[in-house]
Amino acid sequence: MFKIVVCVSGGGTNLQAIIDGVRAGSIPNVEILRVISNNKSAYALERAKQAGIEGICIAPRDYADREQFNEALLYAIDEVGPDLVVLAGFLVTIPPQLIREYENRIINIHPSLIPAFSGTGYYGLKVHEAVLKRGVKVTGATVHFVDDGMDTGPIIMQKAVQVLRNDTPETLQRRVMEEAEWVILPWSLALIAAGAVTVEDGKVCIAE
Ligand code: GRF
């Protein structure tokens, strides 16, 4: 079994896509060991509970400082020893020690076609607001490995989504999730679990 930990902050629809894929067999040989949220009221924790997966909350406000929070987060991951950490809408700056320890073993889903609309300040609805403001006609989502930059790690998979004339940030966010995020995150995970994904010179290579 290929073991994963999923980190979440909010609604957890990407987590749900993974849970559903594991159940349906489209993500074979993957086990979700634990779901970690930085927010105890995240609906993602309820989704974990309903799926019979352990869900824990590690919130910055419960720790004296960032360093202690980072240590607690690292401990909660190391304790179960996953093969891969999946950031599925995790709105927390990933501690450098976690990035070092899990090099090319942490993936993130970002709701744009990186490098467009990525980096500092581009998260959640802000991404889609910026897309509409700029007037681009195509946006999408990206799954990438996490390095020590902001949305700069090796790109695993991307999928484009049309921007429509009457889109609001909310309608666009929903379409990007439905058409791209919920497709490429489970798919990337399945490929990684199957050993089909390697990183060379900062670029991802997917075996045919
Ligand atoms: C998604 O748009 C994801 O790309 C972004 O945060 C959102 C999480 O949504 N990083 P959900 O919690 O998976 O529903």
Side-chain angles (χ1 to χ4, degrees):
M1 274 294 185
F2 187 86
K3 299 182 163 79
I4 66 167
V5 163
V6 184
C7 297
V8 294
S9 297
T13 60
N14 280 289
L15 167 66
Q16 192 66 55
I18 295 170
I19 292 171
D20 293 347
V22 168
R23 248 191 218 142
S26 54
I27 310 176
N29 302 317
V30 167
E31 184 187 354
I32 307 172
L33 298 175
R34 173 176 275 183
V35 169
I36 300 173
S37 173
N38 63 316
N39 162 15
K40 71 172 181 334
S41 55
Y43 188 67
L45 285 175
E46 178 60 30
R47 294 181 191 272
K49 191 174 163 195
Q50 282 174 16
I53 300 163
E54 183 198 22
I56 62 171
C57 173
I58 300 184
R61 72 161 69 101
D62 295 336
Y63 297 88
D65 55 29
R66 200 68 190 183
E67 195 48 43
Q68 287 189 24
F69 165 74
N70 286 349
E71 273 169 26
L73 181 62
L74 190 59
Y75 183 81
I77 293 172
D78 281 345
E79 197 181 23
V80 290
D83 298 300
L84 186 77
V85 177
V86 179
L87 309 181
F90 191 51
L91 300 177
V92 165
T93 304
I94 303 304
Q97 61 265 46
L98 183 60
I99 296 170
R100 272 197 303 276
E101 194 178 316
Y102 288 83
E103 191 188 5
N104 292 335
R105 290 196 297 140
I106 308 175
I107 64 171
N108 181 50
I109 176 86
H110 182 79
S112 76
L113 294 173
I114 290 174
F117 307 103
S118 66
T120 308
Y122 288 107
Y123 60 89
L125 266 187
K126 289 183 191 297
V127 174
H128 307 291
E129 283 163 7
V131 162
L132 292 176
K133 191 165 177 218
R134 183 62 184 87
V136 296
K137 305 306 178 205
V138 175
T139 183
T142 303
V143 179
H144 63 94
F145 285 111
V146 173
D147 67 6
D148 53 10
M150 195 78 170
D151 302 327
T152 53
I155 291 171
I156 301 164
M157 205 179 281
Q158 296 186 295
K159 190 167 189 291
V161 172
Q162 207 70 33
V163 179
L164 302 182
R165 198 156 49 94
N166 295 324
D167 265 330
T168 63
E170 289 78 10
T171 62
L172 185 57
Q173 179 182 50
R174 182 75 195 177
R175 188 162 350 91
V176 167
M177 284 177 153
E178 285 175 356
E179 293 183 12
E181 295 183 38
W182 303 342
V183 177
I184 64 173
L185 184 59
W187 192 358
S188 299
L189 177 54
L191 289 171
I192 294 168
V197 178
T198 50
V199 182
E200 280 162 42
D201 291 335
K203 288 188 214 110
V204 165
C205 184
I206 299 182
E208 295 290 309

